[in-house]
Structure formats: C-alpha cells, structure tokens
Amino acid sequence: MNEIAKIYKYMCPFCRRREATLFCDFVVDYPGTLFASGKNGFIESWQQTCNAQMCTDCAHKVNGAHDFCPDCNKLHLYVQQAYQKNKSKEKLRMYVDSILEEDTHERD
C-alpha cells in the first residue's frame, strides 16, 4: 500500500522527507568585534553561521553542542584531516582555500 507523504511548512532540503527543525551552527564569518571601555568595559564579538535548515536525522552533532548540515560537516571533516596531516596554519589555509575553489567551480 502506498504511503502518503507528509508535507511540512519547512521541509529539510537535504533529505526532503522530514520537517526542518534545526539550523546549521557552522561559523562562516566573523563580521566584527565591538570594544567598549569604561567602568564596565567589555569586548563582544559575533559570528555568522550557515543557518541552513535541516531535520534531526540529517544533522551531524559536533562536540555535543553544535549541529552541522551535511555540507558543512563535509568541510569540517576536510579541515580536521588537513590539520592532522599538515599541522601548519599556512598549509592548512592553502588546503582549505583549494577545497573552497573546487567547490565553487563545481557549482558553476
């Protein structure tokens, strides 16, 4: 017997089967830092995250606190492998840049 597919208002774009209830927490940019001085001086920084919607089955838990979408998790694993392989920030930066360039060429 055929099952009737449920249609949710926010479908998971990765599996297209379940409701998207989470946002990706992968940091993609650090747009700024706010410095304030005075009696109660503080330093505040913020970051922009991927924020791709996803369901709980497609989310990848990282360090028990962050949920990464499948695309960002793939990039995260590349970076972790490169770090283990190179152990050099300059080499790591070059490696990640090459991955990002390949990804943009694939989408064109």
Side-chain angles (χ1 to χ4, degrees):
M1 194 176 220
N2 293 340
E3 288 187 31
I4 298 174
K6 287 186 179 181
I7 298 176
Y8 300 103
K9 184 175 181 179
Y10 300 105
M11 294 291 290
C12 175
F14 299 101
C15 67
R16 294 187 175 106
R17 291 186 207 141
R18 291 174 287 280
E19 183 177 19
T21 57
L22 300 170
F23 290 101
C24 179
D25 298 325
F26 190 80
V27 176
V28 294
D29 193 14
Y30 293 94
T33 303
L34 174 67
F35 297 97
S37 61
K39 185 176 180 182
N40 296 325
F42 64 91
I43 300 172
E44 181 180 332
S45 64
W46 62 93
Q47 63 248 359
Q48 289 179 326
T49 57
C50 171
N51 283 340
Q53 295 180 343
M54 63 194 154
C55 65
T56 54
D57 289 349
C58 291
H60 296 270
K61 268 287 195 222
V62 178
N63 295 331
H66 304 288
D67 296 310
F68 289 173
C69 69
D71 293 338
C72 290
N73 189 57
K74 184 177 177 182
L75 179 59
H76 173 71
L77 294 176
Y78 277 137
V79 171
Q80 292 298 318
Q81 290 170 356
Y83 179 74
Q84 294 300 323
K85 183 178 178 182
N86 298 318
K87 301 280 186 175
S88 162
K89 285 185 180 180
E90 186 175 322
K91 287 182 182 179
L92 177 63
R93 198 170 290 134
M94 289 171 51
Y95 181 73
V96 170
D97 287 343
S98 71
I99 292 169
L100 293 175
E101 285 177 14
E102 289 173 12
D103 188 44
T104 52
H105 292 305
E106 288 175 7
R107 292 182 183 183
D108 290 340

